[in-house]
Structures are given as C-alpha cells and as structure tokens.
C-alpha cells in the first residue's frame, strides 16, 4: 500500500507496508482521525523518518507515546512544536544537556534540529487520541516500530541507541550488540529523574564520544 514516508525508509520498509497488520492499523488510524481528535497531525505521523534519512541515522532514541495535549506532538518523541511549553520529561532532558554539554537551556522544544543531524526520535506508538494516553497502543504500531528497530540493527552499523526507562530498555533484545552501542538509564520523567535515575547519565557527551571514535560527526545537542 502507498505510505507517505521518506523515500529511503520506504525502500527499507516496503514489505512491512504490505503486511495484513499494517492494513488493519491504517484502517484503525483513519477511522480514529475521522471520528476523534488525534495527535500528531496526519502529515506529521512519520515526521521522525522524514527528518532523518535511513542511511544518515546515527542515533536512535525510543519513546512510548506521542504527547496527547493540543499542539504538542510533532511526530518526534519527546519533541514539541515551536512555542509550546516544554513537558516535564523534555525539561529534564534539557537540564541534563545543560550540565553534560555546558549548553544553554534552549528556548524551543522542537527537536527537529536533532533529527536533521541523524537522530531518529522514534515513538513505539505513532498516534494517540487527544487526552487519552496509550489509546492507540496494541493496534499494530509496536509491530511496525519494532520492525524499524530491527531494520536499523541489521542494515546499519555503529548506531548509538539511547534506551531510557523500562519500556525502552526492553527493545535492547531487537538490537545486535556486536554492531551497535546501547546506553541505558532511567526515564527523564520527574517520577524517575527525581529518584536519581536520570540526572548525571551523561548520555549526550557519551554519544558524541562514541560517534567521534567511529569517525562520525557528533550531534549538536
């Protein structure tokens, strides 16, 4: 079936789009967007891929669900549109970067600037009903995004995977550890961060060190 996604990803995932589960998922999502308010906007569902071509992927960050409040989700995990207040997890990400990388706290929470440098900001579930967290889970998105992770693992080399929190850490079983780097920590949400499981993980400087060791350009976080 025809899916509007960046061409290099389409080439890698073409078989996935023909699977029965993906046809069912597409029907479900179309119906949800017709009958309910859902996020992100339809044109932004595959935005994480559109900003980060397959062979340019250097880092993968795995989230769970899009934000379910008005005008927040833009198709990239942890990211919000320009001018939108930063959600608590994003605040803690920026606080860690400020200390780890000695960078000023940014005005915009739009992480397209990371994606454009080769950071795939992948939510496990790519859509959600307004104000109903988890409402589109277990409808097929997880099977699709697991296939994305497996494809990155099998077809690329030297990708740095950042797995934050218990949900993301479970994805490590999909990654070939002989070819790639995995950094894990607690989730940046206040619940985890305030228990000392997030701050000080230095994932941003560690990622850049790994990239430089592999002869790749570091990320301007």
């Amino acid at each position: 079936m025809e899916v509007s996604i960046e061409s290099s990803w389409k080439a890698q995932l073409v078989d996935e789009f023909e699977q029965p589960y993906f046809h069912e998922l597409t029907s479900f999502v179309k119906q949800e967007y017709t009958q309910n308010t859902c996020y992100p906007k339809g044109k932004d569902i595959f935005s994480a891929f559109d900003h980060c071509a397959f062979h340019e992927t250097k880092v993968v960050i795995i989230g769970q669900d899009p934000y379910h409040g008005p005008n927040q989700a833009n198709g990239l995990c942890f990211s919000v549109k320009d001018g939108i207040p930063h959600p608590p997890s994003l605040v803690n990400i920026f606080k860690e970067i400020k200390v780890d990388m000695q960078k000023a706290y940014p005005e915009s929470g739009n992480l397209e600037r990371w994606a454009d440098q080769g950071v795939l900001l992948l939510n496990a579930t790519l859509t959600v009903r307004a104000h109903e967290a988890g409402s589109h889970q277990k409808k097929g998105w997880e099977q699709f995004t697991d296939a994305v992770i497996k494809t990155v693992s099998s077809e690329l080399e030297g990708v740095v995977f950042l797995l934050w929190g218990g949900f993301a850490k479970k994805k490590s079983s999909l990654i070939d550890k002989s070819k790639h780097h995995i950094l894990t920590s607690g989730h940046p949400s206040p619940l985890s961060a305030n228990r000392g499981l997030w701050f000080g993980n230095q994932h941003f400087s560690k990622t850049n060190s790994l990239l430089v060791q592999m002869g790749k350009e570091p990320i301007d976080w």
Side-chain angles (χ1 to χ4, degrees):
M1 64 184 298
E2 192 62 29
V3 176
S4 180
I5 192 171
E6 194 272 340
S7 59
S8 65
W9 286 102
K10 180 174 278 190
Q12 292 293 329
L13 300 169
V14 63
D15 291 343
E16 214 61 31
F17 299 140
E18 300 304 328
Q19 299 289 331
Y21 87 85
F22 198 87
H23 287 262
E24 292 173 18
L25 170 63
T26 302
S27 297
F28 167 77
V29 170
K30 284 179 178 175
Q31 185 175 7
E32 281 286 290
Y33 273 71
T34 301
Q35 298 178 349
N36 303 287
T37 300
C38 296
Y39 302 120
K41 290 182 178 177
K43 67 179 179 62
D44 292 334
I45 291 172
F46 293 108
S47 191
F49 304 91
D50 296 335
H51 281 274
C52 179
F54 180 71
H55 290 288
E56 293 173 10
T57 302
K58 299 189 288 191
V59 180
V60 177
I61 300 177
I62 297 173
Q64 193 160 3
D65 245 16
Y67 296 120
H68 51 80
N71 299 315
Q72 288 182 303
N74 68 348
L76 286 69
C77 71
F78 296 106
S79 175
V80 291
K81 296 178 181 179
D82 292 316
I84 298 298
H86 302 172
S89 289
L90 187 58
V91 169
N92 287 338
I93 288 170
F94 286 153
K95 283 181 177 178
E96 177 60 24
I97 290 172
K98 183 178 179 182
V99 174
D100 185 23
M101 304 298 296
Q102 289 83 54
K103 286 178 70 79
Y105 188 99
E107 186 175 322
S108 174
N110 190 335
L111 302 183
E112 288 175 359
R113 60 185 183 272
W114 293 3
D116 291 335
Q117 298 176 73
V119 182
L120 179 64
L121 293 157
L122 181 68
N123 273 318
T125 303
L126 298 188
T127 57
V128 69
R129 198 180 301 161
H131 310 300
E132 293 186 46
S135 50
H136 288 186
Q137 289 178 7
K138 298 181 174 61
K139 301 295 183 182
W141 277 131
E142 295 91 340
Q143 186 171 342
F144 172 70
T145 52
D146 279 359
V148 170
I149 295 167
K150 290 178 193 172
T151 302
V152 170
S153 177
S154 63
E155 301 301 319
L156 298 178
E157 289 195 17
V159 174
V160 183
F161 289 83
L162 303 183
L163 308 183
W164 300 336
F167 176 84
K169 288 175 186 175
K170 290 176 184 172
K171 303 297 182 182
S172 64
S173 63
L174 308 174
I175 302 162
D176 184 342
K177 297 163 190 65
S178 69
K179 296 170 59 184
H180 303 287
H181 302 274
I182 299 176
L183 300 179
T184 64
S185 83
H187 195 275
S189 68
L191 187 68
S192 175
N194 294 340
R195 285 164 43 216
L197 301 175
W198 165 257
F199 292 116
N201 67 21
Q202 299 181 319
H203 274 194
F204 305 97
S205 62
K206 288 176 180 176
T207 295
N208 280 355
S209 293
L210 289 167
L211 292 174
V212 170
Q213 287 169 28
M214 293 183 285
K216 301 180 182 182
E217 278 288 315
I219 305 299
D220 181 5
W221 300 106

